[in-house]
Amino acid sequence: MAKQYRAVSGKINEITALAAGTGKGCLFYVDCVDGQGEPFQVLITAATYVYENKRLQVGMDCTFWFDANAPMVLIYPPRYVAAFAAENKEGRMMDVSYYGKKLVNTTNSLMLIPGKKTEVIAMNNQFYVGELGGNYLMVEYGVSTRSIPAQTTPKRIVVLRNRV
C-alpha cells in the first residue's frame, strides 16, 4: 500500500531534546500551536527530511508531513512523527505526495508542469536527472490554476525516492 502523507502546520513554541541514551542521536519533540490556537507535538528523528536543511527554531512557522497510515498514539495534544518538515514562507506552497507518470498527485489536487527554471534535486541536494513520474516528490510552487487538478510550474522539486 502506498504511503499517504498528511500535513499539519503551526508555530513552534518549544523544542525538547529526548534522552541521549536512545541511541538515535537526533530525537526531539517540537511543541506547536496551529492557526486556531490548538496545540500539537511533532517528533523529529534523524530520518526526518527538513527542506532546505533549515534548523528548526522557536517562533518558526512550519509544516510537518507524516505518514497518515502509520500507527498514532491517541493522546491530547496530538503527536505526529514527522517524515518531512518545511518552514512556511509568504507566497510559497508545498506538497508532499506520490506523483504518477502524468505528474498528478494521489489526491488529484495538483499537476506538475516542470519548466526550464524548475530545480530538480534529490534528497542529498544533488541534481536529479531521472524520471519524475512514479516517485514521491516534495514540491515547492507559488501560483497555480484553479482547475481540477490545479496546474503549476514548480520552483523546486525534491525527489524522495527512498521514502516509498
Side-chain angles (χ1 to χ4, degrees):
M1 176 157 142
K3 288 188 180 182
Q4 188 84 343
Y5 291 104
R6 296 276 189 264
V8 61
S9 296
K11 186 174 183 176
I12 298 175
N13 283 338
E14 186 177 356
I15 299 174
T16 306
L18 294 177
T22 62
K24 301 289 183 191
C26 178
L27 192 65
F28 54 95
Y29 279 116
V30 176
D31 291 314
C32 300
V33 175
D34 68 16
Q36 287 74 44
E38 293 295 323
F40 65 92
Q41 286 186 325
V42 180
L43 178 65
I44 304 293
T45 71
T48 303
Y49 176 78
V50 181
Y51 188 67
E52 296 178 319
N53 262 346
K54 281 280 203 173
R55 178 180 291 180
L56 301 179
Q57 298 178 18
V58 172
M60 189 180 278
D61 187 25
C62 294
T63 298
F64 304 93
W65 288 266
F66 61 95
D67 182 353
N69 297 322
M72 190 171 141
V73 285
L74 297 175
I75 61 171
Y76 184 83
R79 184 179 295 167
Y80 307 97
V81 179
F84 310 103
E87 180 182 15
N88 296 333
K89 291 185 178 179
E90 187 72 33
R92 174 165 84 178
M93 306 293 285
M94 300 288 295
D95 183 53
V96 174
S97 186
Y98 177 83
Y99 282 80
K101 296 294 180 191
K102 294 183 180 182
L103 296 181
V104 176
N105 66 4
T106 55
T107 59
N108 198 38
S109 61
L110 190 64
M111 178 181 197
L112 306 181
I113 304 171
K116 291 179 183 178
K117 293 184 178 182
T118 301
E119 180 182 12
V120 181
I121 59 174
M123 289 177 68
N124 64 1
N125 209 32
Q126 300 304 306
F127 289 110
Y128 180 84
V129 293
E131 288 292 321
L132 292 175
N135 288 303
Y136 286 86
L137 305 175
M138 178 180 251
V139 180
E140 176 188 347
Y141 63 100
V143 297
S144 64
T145 64
R146 293 184 181 202
S147 60
I148 298 176
Q151 298 177 22
T152 188
T153 299
K155 176 183 176 190
R156 181 181 294 151
I157 299 172
V158 180
V159 180
L160 309 169
R161 291 181 66 97
N162 63 349
R163 295 298 173 131
V164 200

